[in-house]
Amino acid sequence: MKIPAPRGHVSATLIDLLLTRGPGREHSYETLNLLVDEALAATPDLLRDEDLQLTLFCLYELHYSGLDGVEDAAEWDPELIRVRARLEAAFEGVLRRTVPVPELPSPESEAVAKTLFDLAADDDGPSVSRFIAGKASVEQLREFLILRSVYQLKEADPHSWAIPRLPVGRAKAALIEIQADEYGGGRVERMHSKLFGTTMEGLGLDSGYGYYIDLVPALTLASSNAMSLFGLNRRLRGAIAGHLAAFEMTSSIPNSFYARGFRRHGFSDDVTYYFDEHVEADAVHEQIAARDLAGGLAAAEPELLADIIFGAATVLALDALLGEDQLRAWKAGESALLAPLAHGAPAEPAVSAAAAGATA
Amino acid sequence: MSAPETGSPADDGSVPAAAATGTDDAAPWQKREGTPPASVVACPNGPLLIRGDFEIVTPDGVPVPRDRETVALCRCGGSAIKPYCDGTHKLMKFDTSRRRPVPEPARRAAEDAAG
């Protein structure tokens, strides 16, 4: 992925360090650690802190596609892992304190599935999908795709970290069954991340991973970071399993609304195929994820039960915050991105904000 | 299709018989050895989840387009993508634990028939 534009002292220091790693830079790590500590102490809202969420996102990205111009070996640089762990501890702390969690069921498959289905059904957060279906302009559809692209262009990857971390048995079989379908069941052209790219291109957007990263607000990065946090830490394997379950359980119906919104503007089946596919796929996945993955894991490792439910509740809580921010912006005729998309031109961070309101 | 046969040194007379046996023998194990027979999971308040070796066809035997190994078939009647599930059962509050009471005459007839 391209190197994002820094959003403050911490991300600027990290990016500078990543590009110039090597002997003699010890003091830069010290500076970075100090800046992280100061920023963590000072931030009023870690979930919406542009500088810190981007910093964490970049550190995680070293484990996915890497960052252009940064050595692959930076992934396991102990100093960078140390910085990541500090940010993760604070981030996890915020999620644990703020995500509302329902009463725990017994650690049996059907009881866990019922709790998760009830949790998803009680979700009465603001509905981005209804807005997309009935009201969104083409420009807002583009913004919607750009926001979603942070995850959707690497769809399924954060949950794949869990595969080797689940015990041999029902939960692991379920995760593999879901993930195989996510990656196209052996057919590249059906890989979900690839289908999302086709949808982006259908609206004249660039489908390169990370192309629009500089336009994506902290909260969207936080949503991606939560998946990486749960996926990359073995101790949180319950949370990543619950996360996937809730993800699948809040997908098929919203995706039918998204498809409607794109059809309303005359976009072809090729463009809506990503959403149409998810209506059908996730109606299958949610059953497997609730009962066999989340329920199966709770039965096999009952001590993970609380984290399974926490991971699921995190999806709903973050989605509600994201929906609030997006709808507030769109209903006010503003961009939900950090800066409106410049037509036809490559994305420029936060410069030409003036023309935004007029287009909506 | 017949290209390999034409190059075969075998005499013409035996070809139809050999071809026929070939297809008959090939069909069962080409269905991927080890694929278990179909199993159907009746998901509480949800669809029927089908795995294994199965085919979905129209009444005329024409295969219904299918994009994945494991499918969920609509059971609430509300799906817009039948025969597949689209999650609508959740909006309908579809409840598989509810049983319609069987009218008395019908129940008596059934009990009589059962002996």
Side-chain angles (χ1 to χ4, degrees), chain A residues 6-16 31-32 35-36 38-39 49-52 55:
Chain A
R7 299 185 189 180
H9 288 314
V10 181
S11 51
T13 305
L14 172 71
I15 287 165
D16 178 58
T31 310
L32 182 61
L35 287 171
V36 165
E38 279 174 23
D49 190 304
E50 299 292 342
D51 195 23
L52 289 174
T55 300

Side-chain angles (χ1 to χ4, degrees), chain A residues 177 181 249 277 286-287, chain B residues 47 51 67-68 70 85 90:
Chain A
E177 187 175 29
D181 208 32
M249 295 165 108
E277 156 68 7
E286 69 177 352
Q287 300 296 336
Chain B
R51 287 191 182 85
D67 287 329
R68 63 200 73 255
T70 301
C85 168
K90 293 184 282 186

Side-chain angles (χ1 to χ4, degrees), chain A residues 18-239:
Chain A
L18 285 172
L19 290 171
T20 57
R21 281 171 70 250
R25 295 304 310 270
E26 291 77 10
H27 69 283
S28 302
Y29 290 111
E30 282 311 310
T31 310
L32 182 61
N33 274 304
L34 280 173
L35 287 171
V36 165
D37 285 349
E38 279 174 23
L40 282 174
T43 187
D45 182 359
L46 180 53
L47 299 181
R48 290 189 177 83
D49 190 304
E50 299 292 342
D51 195 23
L52 289 174
Q53 290 296 342
L54 181 67
T55 300
L56 187 53
F57 187 84
C58 288
L59 288 168
Y60 281 141
E61 199 51 41
L62 299 174
H63 299 278
Y64 292 98
S65 68
L67 292 168
D68 295 349
V70 177
E71 285 178 304
D72 286 348
E75 179 186 5
W76 295 111
D77 180 334
E79 291 297 326
L80 293 176
I81 298 286
R82 196 152 68 97
V83 175
R84 196 189 94 190
R86 278 175 190 219
L87 288 165
E88 282 182 322
F91 184 37
E92 185 184 346
V94 168
L95 293 175
R96 297 249 182 219
R97 281 195 301 278
T98 57
V99 170
V101 175
E103 199 180 321
L104 296 185
S106 62
E108 294 152 19
S109 166
E110 203 51 49
V112 171
K114 184 176 183 316
T115 297
L116 294 177
F117 276 118
D118 288 349
L119 186 65
D122 287 346
D123 180 29
D124 54 0
S127 176
V128 170
S129 61
R130 283 199 191 85
F131 185 87
I132 294 285
K135 295 207 177 87
S137 66
V138 173
E139 208 46 38
Q140 287 164 339
L141 294 183
R142 287 202 183 94
E143 294 200 349
F144 166 74
L145 292 178
I146 287 171
L147 292 168
R148 302 279 296 226
S149 71
V150 174
Y151 168 68
Q152 246 79 41
L153 288 176
K154 63 166 184 271
E155 187 164 344
D157 286 349
H159 302 103
S160 292
W161 298 122
I163 294 171
R165 293 170 176 155
L166 297 188
V168 171
R170 183 178 180 183
K172 196 185 196 88
L175 180 57
I176 298 279
E177 187 175 29
I178 294 167
Q179 297 301 86
D181 208 32
E182 295 283 345
Y183 290 117
R187 287 167 295 172
V188 181
E189 71 279 6
R190 294 190 49 83
M191 197 177 276
H192 286 178
S193 49
K194 182 115 175 127
L195 296 178
F196 192 81
T198 304
T199 300
M200 290 185 80
E201 288 159 18
L203 272 83
L205 297 173
D206 192 302
S207 63
Y209 178 68
Y211 183 84
Y212 296 104
I213 196 68
D214 294 335
L215 297 178
V216 172
L219 193 57
T220 302
L221 298 181
S223 163
S224 170
N225 286 341
M227 293 183 230
S228 301
L229 166 71
F230 296 163
L232 279 168
N233 288 282
R234 181 179 178 279
R235 70 186 171 83
L236 295 173
R237 62 196 179 285

Side-chain angles (χ1 to χ4, degrees), chain A residues 273-360:
Chain A
Y273 184 66
Y274 173 86
F275 305 112
D276 297 332
E277 156 68 7
H278 278 74
V279 172
E280 187 187 316
D282 293 347
V284 176
H285 296 173
E286 69 177 352
Q287 300 296 336
I288 302 169
R291 246 169 233 109
D292 303 313
L293 172 60
L297 184 59
E301 299 191 74
E303 69 279 11
L304 299 181
L305 177 67
D307 272 1
I308 292 170
I309 305 297
F310 164 65
T314 299
V315 172
L316 299 169
L318 290 179
D319 274 1
L321 294 178
L322 283 165
E324 243 171 66
D325 283 10
Q326 285 167 37
L327 290 179
R328 192 188 306 122
W330 287 339
K331 285 177 178 170
E334 291 164 9
S335 171
L337 305 176
L338 288 181
L341 190 64
H343 282 281
E348 292 293 338
V351 274
S352 58
T359 57

